[in-house]
Amino acid sequence: MRPPGSARGPRPTSVARVPGIDYDVLDTLLGYALRRAQIAAFDAFYRATAGHGITPPRFTALVIVGANPGLSQTVLGRVLGIARSGAMLLTDWLVRRKLAERRPHPEDRRSWGLFLTLRGESLLADLKRTVRAHDGQLGGTLTETQRRTLLRLLRQLAE
Amino acid sequence: MRPPGSARGPRPTSVARVPGIDYDVLDTLLGYALRRAQIAAFDAFYRATAGHGITPPRFTALVIVGANPGLSQTVLGRVLGIARSGAMLLTDWLVRRKLAERRPHPEDRRSWGLFLTLRGESLLADLKRTVRAHDGQLGGTLTETQRRTLLRLLRQLAE
DNA sequence: TATTGTTATACTCTATAACTATA
DNA sequence: TATAGTTATAGAGTATAACAATA
């Protein structure tokens, strides 16, 4: 049993509102609503991936490497929005678990091409299923139309 | 000049998509869209509060103490979803900046009642204005109706 | 000169656990 | 016994800076 919040980074903070507290202006801010919603989403993600040691950035990395085989660590870092040194540590983790491997880049001997192993492909397929399922339940009380609307509005916000 | 990403916790990672990259299943996940939207929101927040040393949790703490004067550190921690030790460090920060103060709790000599100072009240008033303004611009391309819809759907998601 | 990967180092945030004083 | 605040310590994640190899 993993003690909560130790092995996989900061544990998603509780989303529950505290009764009797006045939240004042927070209730009118899109930013605060986003934060609360993301905590709920983290929660769903952790339920989906319990026991795999998978975090959101690691899942993202698996998906990105899977869909863009041969990309470099620098590009992976850029996609994830982290520094090169961080992309390296993340790649190290994937390689250590034998989920991905570094192959020499055919045209540039400074960089690696990243590829999923068979094991990585297989885990990714599993993860995609469960993450998608839990992500679907995330909007448990949302209708399919509302869900699509939300997704569209969020994309518009982030563009 | 503050070097980016040093004094105020992790710098919001870039929200820009990398051209030529296949994002695969990520584009269908509410959780991923939420993350991207929240990065944009962080960005707006940091623009709003540049130079104040204010982070989202610190802003939240100011608002909560302001609207619920006399509450204890433990309750503050529960509202923020952090451990008591963290609530204490956060309170220390507010007290050090003379934005809040601890007063003996009238009925329980184990706990403090937290209150904003005049300076805290004044800063909070400023912050509310700018944060609200930037939060409004956050959905720059959203109509007022879309904004309300988004807020409602996010609340429904997190409930 | 510029870039890739790497290494070393530091910082922020959060957590748990143990301690104290009160309840 | 249980709780509030505190202190000490540890871990994850990220950043910057400097270095070697290569472009």
Side-chain angles (χ1 to χ4, degrees):
Chain A
M1 260 316 172
R2 167 180 64 88
S6 67
R8 299 206 299 174
R11 182 250 231 91
T13 59
S14 165
V15 72
R17 289 175 79 94
V18 177
I21 290 293
D22 180 358
Y23 283 74
D24 194 32
V25 70
L26 297 177
D27 279 328
T28 72
L29 296 174
L30 221 38
Y32 189 71
L34 278 168
R35 172 169 156 68
R36 296 185 69 87
Q38 217 204 2
I39 291 170
F42 267 27
D43 228 55
F45 183 89
Y46 283 114
R47 276 197 305 277
T49 63
H52 283 293
I54 293 292
T55 59
R58 285 170 186 166
F59 174 71
T60 304
L62 278 174
V63 172
I64 293 296
V65 174
N68 305 271
L71 90 171
S72 71
Q73 285 181 193
T74 297
V75 172
L76 178 62
R78 211 172 294 145
V79 173
L80 292 163
I82 60 178
R84 274 175 308 158
S85 55
M88 201 222 131
L89 295 174
L90 184 49
T91 304
D92 277 352
W93 188 90
L94 295 174
V95 170
R96 218 178 311 122
R97 306 282 161 129
K98 302 213 189 311
L99 299 173
E101 57 188 25
R102 296 175 164 105
R103 298 188 203 157
H105 195 288
E107 287 157 13
D108 187 337
R109 279 187 305 174
R110 290 174 304 182
S111 62
W112 302 108
L114 302 181
F115 296 84
L116 294 189
T117 61
L118 284 180
R119 206 171 150 226
E121 296 280 10
S122 151
L123 175 63
L124 177 56
D126 282 358
L127 286 175
K128 276 186 187 173
R129 255 194 307 279
T130 53
V131 168
R132 199 147 33 185
H134 280 76
D135 190 85
Q137 289 181 350
L138 177 58
T141 69
L142 299 177
T143 67
E144 188 48 38
T145 308
Q146 285 180 316
R147 194 192 141 82
R148 271 199 300 272
T149 302
L150 179 54
L151 200 54
R152 182 169 44 77
L153 291 173
L154 288 172
R155 281 213 202 96
Q156 195 174 337
L157 186 75
E159 87 190 354
Chain B
M1 262 312 173
R2 167 180 62 88
S6 65
R8 299 205 299 172
R11 186 253 229 87
T13 59
S14 165
V15 72
R17 290 175 76 95
V18 178
I21 289 293
D22 179 359
Y23 283 75
D24 195 33
V25 71
L26 297 178
D27 279 328
T28 72
L29 296 174
L30 222 37
Y32 190 71
L34 278 168
R35 171 166 157 68
R36 295 184 71 85
Q38 217 206 2
I39 291 171
F42 268 28
D43 227 56
F45 184 89
Y46 284 114
R47 276 196 306 275
T49 63
H52 283 292
I54 292 291
T55 58
R58 284 170 188 167
F59 174 71
T60 303
L62 278 175
V63 172
I64 293 295
V65 174
N68 305 270
L71 91 171
S72 69
Q73 286 182 191
T74 298
V75 172
L76 178 61
R78 212 172 293 145
V79 172
L80 292 164
I82 60 178
R84 274 176 309 161
S85 55
M88 200 222 131
L89 295 174
L90 185 48
T91 304
D92 277 351
W93 189 89
L94 295 174
V95 170
R96 217 179 313 122
R97 306 280 161 130
K98 304 216 189 307
L99 299 173
E101 58 188 24
R102 297 176 165 104
R103 298 189 203 154
H105 194 290
E107 288 158 13
D108 187 337
R109 280 189 303 175
R110 290 173 303 181
S111 61
W112 302 108
L114 303 180
F115 296 84
L116 293 190
T117 61
L118 283 179
R119 203 168 154 229
E121 296 280 8
S122 151
L123 175 62
L124 178 56
D126 283 358
L127 286 175
K128 276 186 187 173
R129 255 194 308 279
T130 54
V131 167
R132 200 147 32 184
H134 280 76
D135 190 85
Q137 289 182 351
L138 177 59
T141 69
L142 299 178
T143 67
E144 190 48 39
T145 308
Q146 285 180 316
R147 197 193 137 83
R148 270 198 300 272
T149 302
L150 180 53
L151 201 54
R152 181 169 44 76
L153 291 174
L154 288 172
R155 282 212 201 97
Q156 194 174 336
L157 187 73
E159 90 192 351

